[in-house]
Amino acid sequence: MRYIRIILALLLFTMIGFYLLEQSDRSTKSSINELDNIFIKGRESLLKSKVVPEMPVLTNGGELFEWIGKSSEELVEQLGDPIRKDKSAYHYTWWVYSNDGNQYLQFGIQEDEIQTIFATGERNDMAPIEIGQSRQAVQDALATIKTDFQYEKEVAYEAGVSSYRFQLSEEDFNKRPLIKLTDNLFLQTYFDTFTNQLSSVRIMTGDVLLRHRPYGLEYRGNIPEDPSFSDEEWEEIEAGMEKQIYDMTNVIRRNHERSTLKEENSVSLVAFKHSKDMEENNYFSHYSQDGSGLKERLALEDVYYSSAGENIAAQYTDAPAAMEGWLNSEGHREALLNESYTHLGVGVYRLYYTQNFLQRPE
């Protein structure tokens, strides 16, 4: 009888053990499932909270400058795809970002690395500097990231055994001073001299600066050769610059509370023909060599309008530089900001630029 009790006790303990083991297993599986649910919910929460910005949020000057050297993949990851990619005359490709408002950015990418940036528009966050600041305010702000910062009329750069010294004229110094941020990083600050406010900025490597050569230059050693392009390549470059000028014109107009201009292809053709004529015949004037002016050129293409105006420029490094040149010239500025104009045509041939403005009745 005692043995039977012992056997029954052992059976009872065994059943209890299996029950506890099963409950433990269920508890473990439940805990794993709970952790999976937490992880999944956490991921969903992160995905829901991840907002792809319409334009870059640059919280401090360092972040803006640190774009240099980053890859196109990183750019797309943060900003998405550009509205277009424009071939430049300096071997890099401009990736253009704009929200059709008053934010505008161009990233120059070569061999999958950002080599230069152009930025304008009041809503771009590029602290410690910002569009609209006075010259002194920009100087004070830059002093927070570059000790003892001062604008200089001569800026040095070294690459290997070669040395370079960029020399700024009085006009350069007032309108677009050059700042050396590091040994191989430079900043151009474009100022609107009519308002004494920062209009746009350009950040670039020393190599890009040498290819542009926007200032007087003394050097020892090697200098990059001027780029050579086929006619087909130039057509692509010119088309990109025309679009950039159209975009930037409307950004500038919005910043000055002017209406947006509509693009007019027939007028763009008139502008292109005049730019080409000036380049091929080596002259620079609003009047063609046969004495005809804008009125006659528009009539040839049967363009109707109630009033018209024209801006021309030559030998600027690119479209942003030409735009800043017009903004700082009284007559060109008046056309650029004229409240009555409704349409715009842009024509670029090589480094000759023409804007034709029209007022058309509603």
Side-chain angles (χ1 to χ4, degrees):
M1 193 68 182
R2 187 175 61 183
Y3 291 112
I4 293 173
R5 290 176 180 171
I6 292 171
I7 290 170
L8 289 173
L10 287 172
L11 287 172
L12 182 61
F13 282 129
T14 301
M15 291 175 66
I16 292 171
F18 277 122
Y19 176 78
L20 291 173
L21 182 61
E22 185 179 355
Q23 292 300 313
S24 175
D25 184 56
R26 287 179 181 174
S27 178
T28 301
K29 289 180 180 177
S30 177
S31 296
I32 290 172
N33 289 336
E34 186 178 350
L35 286 172
D36 285 343
N37 288 335
I38 291 171
F39 175 74
I40 291 168
K41 288 177 181 178
R43 258 188 95 180
E44 289 175 348
S45 177
L46 286 172
L47 289 171
K48 288 178 182 177
S49 65
K50 183 179 179 181
V51 178
V52 178
E54 192 174 325
M55 291 289 288
V57 179
L58 304 171
T59 56
N60 61 66
E63 284 193 18
L64 177 61
F65 306 141
E66 286 169 9
W67 275 106
I68 300 296
K70 289 189 176 182
S71 69
S72 57
E73 184 179 350
E74 291 174 283
L75 186 61
V76 171
E77 184 178 348
Q78 181 165 344
L79 304 187
D81 293 324
I83 59 173
R84 64 174 186 274
K85 298 176 183 178
D86 297 339
K87 185 179 179 67
S88 81
Y90 303 97
H91 299 302
Y92 53 79
T93 297
W94 283 121
W95 288 34
V96 181
Y97 290 83
S98 175
N99 64 354
D100 293 327
N102 52 1
Q103 285 180 295
Y104 186 84
L105 284 168
Q106 294 183 190
F107 292 85
I109 297 178
Q110 182 179 1
E111 296 179 354
D112 200 41
E113 281 193 2
I114 298 172
Q115 301 290 320
T116 181
I117 304 164
F118 175 80
T120 189
E122 290 183 346
R123 289 184 57 205
N124 282 326
D125 183 1
M126 55 186 74
I129 63 175
E130 54 186 69
I131 301 300
Q133 280 183 318
S134 69
R135 186 184 181 93
Q136 185 60 52
V138 171
Q139 179 172 328
D140 294 341
L142 288 173
T144 65
I145 60 174
K146 183 175 171 62
T147 308
D148 300 325
F149 167 76
Q150 294 287 334
Y151 296 112
E152 304 285 350
K153 288 191 174 181
E154 290 194 353
V155 178
Y157 169 59
E158 293 184 359
V161 297
S162 299
S163 60
Y164 310 90
R165 187 170 294 276
F166 295 94
Q167 299 173 324
L168 280 67
S169 67
E170 193 67 30
E171 182 179 4
D172 293 332
F173 186 73
N174 292 330
K175 295 180 178 179
R176 49 189 181 127
L178 178 67
I179 298 112
K180 184 176 183 179
L181 298 171
T182 69
D183 290 342
N184 191 37
L185 189 61
F186 297 83
L187 171 68
Q188 276 183 307
T189 49
Y190 290 95
F191 286 98
D192 180 340
T193 54
F194 288 84
T195 62
N196 193 35
Q197 293 178 336
L198 184 66
S199 174
S200 62
V201 299
R202 191 194 299 256
I203 304 164
M204 58 194 148
T205 63
D207 180 61
V208 172
L209 180 61
L210 274 178
R211 280 182 270 165
H212 282 200
R213 296 198 284 278
Y215 308 101
L217 178 64
E218 287 185 356
Y219 68 95
R220 290 183 180 180
N222 300 318
I223 194 166
E225 294 182 2
D226 290 333
S228 177
F229 300 103
S230 67
D231 288 343
E232 291 75 16
E233 288 173 320
W234 266 116
E235 286 179 8
E236 189 178 352
I237 293 167
E238 292 156 2
M241 289 195 287
E242 288 171 354
K243 292 171 184 171
Q244 292 162 29
I245 289 174
Y246 174 75
D247 288 344
M248 286 184 281
T249 297
N250 279 324
V251 170
I252 290 172
R253 285 179 65 87
R254 281 188 286 267
N255 288 346
H256 289 82
E257 299 181 348
R258 301 295 193 270
S259 61
T260 298
L261 301 178
K262 297 177 182 177
E263 191 171 14
E264 178 54 62
N265 291 332
S266 62
V267 182
S268 295
L269 178 62
V270 173
F272 174 78
K273 287 182 176 180
H274 188 54
S275 291
K276 185 177 182 182
D277 188 49
M278 288 191 291
E279 196 277 340
E280 290 183 339
N281 292 291
N282 194 29
Y283 75 95
F284 183 70
S285 172
H286 289 286
Y287 291 92
S288 303
Q289 291 185 307
D290 62 2
S292 61
L294 177 59
K295 179 180 178 180
E296 289 76 21
R297 292 194 293 272
L298 290 171
L300 284 174
E301 300 297 331
D302 296 321
V303 176
Y304 75 92
Y305 59 94
S306 54
S307 65
E310 181 175 75
N311 283 342
I312 57 175
Q315 303 307 322
Y316 282 94
T317 54
D318 58 10
M323 286 299 306
E324 290 296 332
W326 284 327
L327 189 63
N328 275 300
S329 168
E330 186 173 3
H332 298 96
R333 181 188 184 91
E334 288 178 3
L336 191 62
L337 300 178
N338 189 306
E339 294 186 35
S340 66
Y341 290 146
T342 57
H343 293 74
L344 172 65
V346 180
V348 177
Y349 185 78
R350 303 305 188 256
L351 297 181
Y352 280 73
Y353 311 84
T354 301
Q355 285 181 308
N356 287 158
F357 301 89
L358 296 183
Q359 179 187 9
R360 281 182 170 170
E362 294 294 334

